[in-house]
Amino acid sequence: MNSQLIKYKGIHPGIILERELQKRSLKKRPFALAVGEYPQTFNDITKGKRNIPVSLALKIEKELQLEEGTIVLLQSYYEIQKEKEKIQNRIPNLSILRNSLFWDTDINQIDWDKQFHAVIHRVFERGNEEERKEISRFYGQQKINTALHSKKTKPMQLYKIS
């Protein structure tokens, strides 16, 4: 890959494509038609709302006389960056949360999405201020409010059988 393109790793390739078109004084609509793409779809790509399929990337590279695979690599780097962000945001910062807060379970085995009610209640009942801030950052204030203000389930009741 061209060393100049390394600085674009993690940026949506459509945004880079739009800059390239501007540098070359090319209009998006005629260019989209030249590569056989609908102008609306091409516009979404240049705004970073859609990914660039390999077939279209090859046409664009040919039209702009770029090295083959450049846009595909940029798309791959962008997708890798998005996955890294997802993975990073799936669990809170465990260095802030004390293991003793979750004494009854392995903190690494907690499903932070499914068990958010229990986690939020536990941290807000027994956690310190720093732990509460981390959980608030991780889940967001709306989800915190939902969990803290939701009605707890009633204990099991016995019913008379007639």
Side-chain angles (χ1 to χ4, degrees), residues 86-125:
K86 281 183 192 176
I87 291 169
Q88 190 176 27
N89 291 332
R90 285 187 187 154
I91 62 171
N93 185 349
L94 297 182
S95 66
I96 294 174
L97 301 176
R98 294 172 289 153
N99 287 337
S100 61
L101 198 57
F102 300 96
W103 73 92
D104 57 344
T105 188
D106 181 6
I107 198 166
N108 296 314
Q109 298 299 319
I110 296 174
D111 186 336
W112 299 96
D113 291 327
K114 288 183 182 176
Q115 298 169 336
F116 76 96
H117 278 285
V119 169
I120 291 170
H121 279 284
R122 175 80 55 98
V123 171
F124 276 80
E125 283 176 3

Side-chain angles (χ1 to χ4, degrees), residues 40-70:
Q40 296 87 347
T41 305
F42 193 77
N43 189 47
D44 284 348
I45 289 170
T46 58
K47 298 295 181 198
K49 296 179 182 177
R50 285 184 183 224
N51 291 336
I52 302 176
V54 176
S55 59
L56 178 59
L58 291 172
K59 291 175 189 176
I60 292 170
E61 291 163 353
K62 185 178 179 184
E63 191 72 26
L64 293 177
Q65 298 173 350
L66 296 173
E67 185 179 338
E68 188 176 84
T70 302

Side-chain angles (χ1 to χ4, degrees), residues 15-29:
I15 294 169
I16 298 165
L17 176 61
E18 184 169 30
R19 289 180 189 163
E20 187 65 27
L21 292 175
Q22 287 174 350
K23 262 197 239 178
R24 297 179 185 213
S25 301
L26 297 171
K27 303 256 184 218
K28 285 192 275 186
R29 181 177 174 77

